[in-house]
Amino acid sequence: MRAAAVTDWRPALAPAILRRHDHARDADLLLLPERVVVLRGAAGTVVGLCDGTRSVDDIVDELAERFPGSPVATDVPPFLERLRKEGWLR
């Protein structure tokens, strides 16, 4: 069972943050004021689901369907929480 605060949260990018795909690197990026963050592996997919309409549970469920057998239920919520603490998600 997941914590209620995490379950109810519907993450979305903070207003000053943009997500873009860099074709030269074939990687997703977060464009922050005066900084660029390269999202490696499935991080771009996870962040792409953070549109403010899906709860963390919804994101985990969708990723579990896309990546069967991957530890999304244990890895994704702490990843999203780290991004929130950085101020990149609201």
Side-chain angles (χ1 to χ4, degrees):
M1 186 166 147
R2 297 180 195 123
V6 173
T7 301
D8 294 339
W9 178 37
R10 296 181 182 280
L13 287 176
I17 312 284
L18 298 173
R19 182 177 156 263
R20 294 287 184 261
H21 185 76
D22 180 352
H23 294 285
R25 297 181 199 176
D26 193 28
D28 289 313
L29 308 173
L30 290 182
L31 306 177
L32 294 79
E34 301 182 25
R35 186 172 172 193
V36 174
V37 175
V38 178
L39 299 172
R40 305 229 182 258
T45 302
V46 175
V47 172
L49 295 174
C50 296
D51 59 7
T53 64
R54 296 175 179 94
S55 69
V56 173
D57 284 346
D58 296 336
I59 293 168
V60 167
D61 291 344
E62 185 163 335
L63 291 168
E65 285 182 26
R66 289 188 193 186
F67 306 103
S70 295
V72 295
T74 57
D75 292 353
V76 171
F79 171 70
L80 293 176
E81 186 58 35
R82 280 194 311 273
L83 296 184
R84 178 162 55 176
K85 286 181 182 176
E86 288 287 339
W88 303 345
L89 293 176
R90 57 174 171 83

